[in-house]
């Protein structure tokens, strides 16, 4: 098989993009490079899972009362260390941290960005070799450059995101990121240890024939959601527009498929969990931003996710996202 050696690495791609942005300082590119570096390190550990003693539970729970896996802890520490050393980020908020962390060092305080992060999404799939991921969002600080960052820097509406992206540790490892200029995907070339452009200018197909939901919770969903799921199923059988159900339990994997192939992803509220399960700041907002930049749509049921003012770092929200047409029919149901 021929490998194309002329394709751009993430850094080369960013350098070329910068030529079109006369005002850019390169700080965002540096930050993306740091995220890519941390991702490569996490990828090494993910690939060794099973060989080395890094699988399983730590025995601890996070601020949300969920069990923390050892790889969760490793990924969180790795991203935190790389972003701190990289000095292009003033602080981070993470699923694995009770509160945000301000790097509060002279060089980091000079940075204009903060990062929100789910270091290892799909933790329950780690032990069984199903794709897992990292989700990130990058905000310009509200607080002044030069002083330590503050909570208001992290509690911004998704519409203020400067960039958002994810890494999927799957059959290959990919980094996908979105800015207002578009969405681009890079595949890790293990022979050179670099992310190289493989999916330029990603557009989410206008329509799709896959729905992705934890159907086990069906009887706890509200009437509108049940009706939509029923309508997806009724199309099956002899109907040529049949919908298939695909659900891995890793948001990154299910959203990656939805972005590339079209379809809809749903994580609704239930009678017991009236805000759903997924977290607004570091799971839903980054994906809503990516989907919108790729021509898709995301809501919390009625309102655009990106317009919600977060009140706390670990706030949950129902989440529905996908192809423009499928989302339209979901919203009209
Ligand atoms: P995590 O961030 O602790 O891994 O949890 C979030 C995950 C998402 O990736 C996924 O969409 C969802 O939880 C699956 O939840 P459920 O098992 O309730 O369907
Ligand atoms: Mg998660």
């Amino acid at each position: 098989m021929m490998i194309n050696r002329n394709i751009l690495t993430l850094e080369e791609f960013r350098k070329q993009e910068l030529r079109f942005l006369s005002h850019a300082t390169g700080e965002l590119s540096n930050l993306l490079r740091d995220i890519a570096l941390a991702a490569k390190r996490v990828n090494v550990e993910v690939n060794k899972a099973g060989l080395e003693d890094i699988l399983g539970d730590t025995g601890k729970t996070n601020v949300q009362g969920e069990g923390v896996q050892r790889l969760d802890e490793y990924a969180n520490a790795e991203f935190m260390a790389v972003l701190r050393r990289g000095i292009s980020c003033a602080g981070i908020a993470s699923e694995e941290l009770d509160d945000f962390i301000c790097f509060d060092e002279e060089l980091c305080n000079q940075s204009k960005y903060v990062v929100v992060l789910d270091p290892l999404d799909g933790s329950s799939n780690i032990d069984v070799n199903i794709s897992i991921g990292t989700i990130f969002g990058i905000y310009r600080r509200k607080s002044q450059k030069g002083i330590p960052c503050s909570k208001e820097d992290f509690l911004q509406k998704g519409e203020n995101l400067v960039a958002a992206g994810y890494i999927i540790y799957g059959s290959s490892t990919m980094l996908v990121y979105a800015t207002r200029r578009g969405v681009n995907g890079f595949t890790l070339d293990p022979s050179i240890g670099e992310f190289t452009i493989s999916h330029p200018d990603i557009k989410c197909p206008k329509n799709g024939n896959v729905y992705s939901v934890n159907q086990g919770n069906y009887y706890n969903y509200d009437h509108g959601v049940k009706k939509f799921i029923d309508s997806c199923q009724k199309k099956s059988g002899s109907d040529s527009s049949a919908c298939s159900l695909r659900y891995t339990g890793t948001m990154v994997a299910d959203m990656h498929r939805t972005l590339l192939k079209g379809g809809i992803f749903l994580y609704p509220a239930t009678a017991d969990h009236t805000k759903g399960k997924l977290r607004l700041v570091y799971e839903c907002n980054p994906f809503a931003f990516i989907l919108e930049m790729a021509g898709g749509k995301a809501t919390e049921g009625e309102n655009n996710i990106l317009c919600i003012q977060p009140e706390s770092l670990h706030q949950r929200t129902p989440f529905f996202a996908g192809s423009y047409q499928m989302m339209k029919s979901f919203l009209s149901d």
Side-chain angles (χ1 to χ4, degrees), residues 248-267:
T248 66
T250 297
M251 183 191 199
V252 171
D254 288 318
M255 286 303 298
H256 182 61
R257 184 196 52 249
T258 305
L259 177 68
L260 295 188
K261 304 279 185 195
I264 188 169
F265 173 86
L266 309 93
Y267 205 106

Side-chain angles (χ1 to χ4, degrees), residues 66 95 118 120-123 214 247 249-251 265 267 277-279 283:
E66 294 159 346
E95 179 178 330
D118 180 354
L120 210 64
D121 178 59
S123 317
N214 187 338
Y247 188 74
T250 297
M251 183 191 199
F265 173 86
Y267 205 106
K277 173 182 182 187
L278 300 177
R279 277 57 55 119
E283 292 180 322

Side-chain angles (χ1 to χ4, degrees), residues 49-77:
L51 292 175
E52 285 185 3
D53 197 19
I54 49 168
L55 286 178
D57 225 298
T58 56
K60 300 177 203 157
T61 50
N62 65 17
V63 65
Q64 297 149 84
E66 294 159 346
V68 177
Q69 302 280 310
R70 290 158 88 173
L71 264 175
D72 273 330
E73 212 170 59
Y74 174 83
N76 188 58

